[in-house]
Amino acid sequence: MSKRFAIIGAGMSGILTAIKLKQRGIRDFAIYEKAGGLGGTWRDNTYPGLSCDVPSHVYAYSFELKADWSHRFSPGAEIQGYFEGVAKKYELDSHFRFNSEIVRAEYRDGRWHLSIKGGATDVVDFVICATGVLHHPAYPDIPGLGDFEGASFHSARWDHSVPLEGRRIGIIGTGSTAIQIVPALADTVLNLTLFQRTAQWVLPFANPAYSEDEKAMYHTSPERLQQSYDFWSARFVDTFARAVIGDQDELRKIEDACRTNLEENVADPDLRRRLTPNYRAACKRLIMSDTFYPAMQKPSVALVTDGIDQIEAGGVRTKDGVLHELDVLVLATGFDGHAFLRPMDVVGESGRRLADAWAQANEAYRSVAVPGFPNFFMLVGPNSPIGNFSVVLISEIQLAYILQLVDLVLNGKCRAVAPKEEATHRFNVALREAMKDTIWVTGCRSWYLDRNGNPALWPWSFGRFRREMSSPDLADFDLAA
């Protein structure tokens, strides 16, 4: 009897999983998606100025490189179009189940019983969660947030029906989202006020457009396209990925570049002072932009560093007593990066709930599986190297590892597979110890940190990630006969 699979999430990782299952001759699977379309974060985020902070030639499946990206860091709509095109090419349409949120997954009688919002059900042998990391918007806890009488929305829920031209716009937050929105709006609004709690280090990465000749070259020469993919992959691995886990020489280069960018491109000493972070570069996710500092110096743009006291009907009142009058308020306050597959209720063997297993911390075996939850796997789960490498490549490597475990069941070696408690504990102890040498624990607040102050990242090299994910150590797994 063939085995049935459920893929939860129709973003980058879900599409990848579906393609790889089809390539292995597996057709009995469904891709459950809570929203009305595919794309994940690129479907949800449509704010002005949106682009990826990973070079386009790397932010693609290794087996489906794209020759005609418009820019080095391409806009979000283009990335969304890429994933839509890939899904169409691999004929995934019949497998999508949109507007179908999985609210409960329970393992009983050797299979996973899924409950879908609205009352439908499914029974499958394997669950592969591809729910992503940044999909639950985080809203600020500010008094009076609901009192504002103008238009107000989270940046990941952008309301395109709201006119912006000639209006007073306020943006709360200074992460990569806000730093992309500011240059995109600075020349069209009456004025723009950026409410900054924490300054960001900004690396001056230019974003040139690819010429038609360059696109034609990549199209006619797959070798050159592959070389570009390899170049940008190696550049991340050999520089930034080494810096964040303790290579002080590489980190110093990044810090020097960020500091020079600030000193050379912000003329006013007071503005420069207020834009200077009080923590080390790369402690938070590093911002890449060559347009933010110029935009911050335009007459229409103001930086406010006084804390917010409350939101009122007419705008934002800061702790110095000033009311900043606004027509539109944008909450560029990021996401809950630790929700993972929540609020789905996952029940494993003997009634064990994932919510209980993760009550103190999100702990998984090598980011992809949890003890007591057989034939249940995650892509880009806890402690995946999302702060180090391209998430697309991470997902490909993790999926290849997961499918080796799936093969044990498909080939009759066992009925079910899950990591052992001791192996999972050992892995997480080693993670926390290695994290002490990383830049992420040097004293800043970031969305990387969980409720215990531990970074939910990968503290080792890319080479180690590749090696450890090349094949499972079966001694670390319970293989149910």
Side-chain angles (χ1 to χ4, degrees):
M1 184 174 114
S2 66
K3 301 295 185 182
R4 179 163 173 78
F5 291 72
I7 302 168
I8 304 180
M12 177 275 294
S13 294
I15 294 168
L16 168 69
T17 304
I19 292 170
K20 292 302 180 180
L21 289 180
K22 286 193 72 174
Q23 288 178 339
R24 297 162 79 89
I26 297 169
R27 297 289 189 273
D28 192 6
F29 66 87
I31 311 165
Y32 287 100
E33 170 56 53
K34 65 184 178 182
L38 62 84
T41 191
W42 303 107
R43 174 201 62 228
D44 292 346
N45 286 273
T46 59
Y47 60 80
L50 171 64
S51 67
C52 189
D53 60 1
V54 173
S56 305
H57 283 170
V58 180
Y59 201 86
Y61 300 125
S62 62
F63 56 88
E64 198 63 53
L65 301 183
K66 175 177 164 65
D68 59 347
W69 290 110
S70 64
H71 290 76
R72 178 179 293 166
F73 300 93
S74 290
E78 192 173 348
I79 298 171
Q80 172 69 2
Y82 167 79
F83 288 119
E84 290 173 345
V86 170
K88 183 175 182 180
K89 175 179 176 178
Y90 288 89
E91 299 179 339
L92 302 183
D93 282 359
S94 64
H95 295 279
F96 288 116
R97 305 289 184 269
F98 295 125
N99 300 306
S100 299
E101 181 180 0
I102 303 295
V103 295
R104 180 180 171 88
E106 182 179 0
Y107 187 76
R108 65 176 188 270
D109 303 324
R111 304 188 80 195
W112 284 97
H113 297 252
L114 308 181
S115 300
I116 303 154
K117 191 174 184 178
T121 60
D122 196 358
V123 181
V124 301
D125 300 283
F126 296 94
V127 175
I128 300 180
C129 279
T131 49
V133 179
L134 305 181
H135 61 108
H136 290 292
Y139 289 85
D141 183 16
I142 301 174
L145 190 58
D147 296 337
F148 183 62
E149 292 184 348
S152 178
F153 44 82
H154 194 279
S155 57
R157 302 291 184 265
W158 197 275
D159 187 346
H160 291 276
S161 70
V162 175
L164 303 176
E165 187 171 350
R167 306 186 80 190
R168 300 166 299 178
I169 314 297
I171 301 175
I172 297 176
T174 48
S176 57
T177 296
I179 286 175
Q180 290 181 346
I181 295 173
V182 170
L185 297 185
D187 292 330
T188 61
V189 302
L190 176 64
N191 57 61
L192 189 155
T193 304
L194 180 64
F195 297 93
Q196 173 183 283
R197 183 177 64 180
T198 308
Q200 298 277 358
W201 287 113
V202 181
L203 199 62
F205 250 71
N207 189 19
Y210 285 113
S211 68
E212 293 305 314
D213 287 344
E214 287 175 308
K215 295 176 191 176
M217 174 193 70
Y218 287 127
H219 182 73
T220 57
S221 176
E223 296 81 7
R224 294 293 294 273
L225 184 57
Q226 185 66 49
Q227 287 171 5
S228 181
Y229 177 89
D230 293 342
F231 168 80
W232 286 111
S233 294
R235 186 164 182 183
F236 267 72
V237 169
D238 293 338
T239 56
F240 181 72
R242 284 167 47 187
V244 293
I245 61 170
D247 187 321
Q248 294 303 311
D249 288 340
E250 288 299 331
L251 184 58
R252 197 170 299 110
K253 292 175 186 176
I254 291 173
E255 289 178 327
D256 289 347
C258 290
R259 197 171 296 279
T260 299
N261 184 38
L262 178 61
E263 291 173 352
E264 292 185 352
N265 292 294
V266 179
D268 179 68
D270 180 62
L271 179 60
R272 188 166 62 241
R273 176 186 60 78
R274 293 188 294 143
L275 287 171
T276 301
N278 60 359
Y279 54 87
R280 299 190 68 184
C283 184
K284 291 175 176 284
R285 187 172 181 90
L286 199 59
I287 307 294
M288 299 184 187
S289 174
D290 63 350
T291 59
F292 175 65
Y293 287 152
M296 289 304 300
Q297 297 169 88
K298 293 184 176 182
S300 60
V301 178
L303 177 69
V304 173
T305 55
D306 290 292
I308 296 174
D309 184 57
Q310 62 183 27
I311 310 293
E312 300 180 8
V316 174
R317 189 174 297 278
T318 46
K319 293 186 183 298
D320 58 359
V322 175
L323 176 64
H324 303 268
E325 296 183 339
L326 303 170
D327 302 306
V328 180
L329 180 62
V330 177
L331 307 175
T333 45
F335 300 85
D336 178 356
H338 307 279
F340 292 104
L341 43 86
R342 296 179 180 93
M344 182 170 60
D345 184 22
V346 182
V347 184
E349 287 182 308
S350 305
R352 184 184 190 188
R353 282 186 143 72
L354 188 62
D356 295 331
W358 282 1
Q360 300 304 315
N362 300 332
E363 291 191 348
Y365 177 82
R366 302 196 186 284
S367 308
V368 300
V370 181
F373 296 83
N375 296 349
F376 185 95
F377 304 103
M378 298 173 291
L379 290 168
V380 198
N383 291 102
S384 292
I386 54 175
N388 316 44
F389 321 122
S390 165
V391 70
V392 182
L393 183 55
I394 294 164
S395 224
E396 288 189 20
I397 292 171
Q398 289 178 336
L399 181 61
Y401 181 95
I402 289 168
L403 291 178
Q404 292 180 67
L405 295 171
V406 168
D407 282 342
L408 296 174
V409 179
L410 297 184
N411 295 334
K413 300 279 177 52
C414 62
R415 177 177 50 81
V417 57
K420 294 178 179 177
E421 289 276 7
E422 187 277 330
T424 302
H425 176 72
R426 176 171 17 97
F427 175 72
N428 282 276
V429 168
L431 270 175
R432 288 191 289 272
E433 183 63 28
M435 208 67 73
K436 296 175 183 177
D437 296 325
T438 70
I439 189 63
W440 304 305
V441 297
T442 57
C444 69
R445 291 177 59 187
S446 78
W447 65 265
Y448 290 154
L449 304 181
D450 66 14
R451 69 174 80 97
N452 303 312
N454 297 315
L457 296 168
W458 176 266
W460 299 296
S461 69
F462 182 72
R464 177 166 174 168
F465 180 68
R466 267 203 184 279
R467 287 192 304 273
E468 295 196 359
M469 300 303 290
S470 62
S471 61
D473 181 351
L474 297 186
D476 285 352
F477 288 87
D478 286 319
L479 306 179

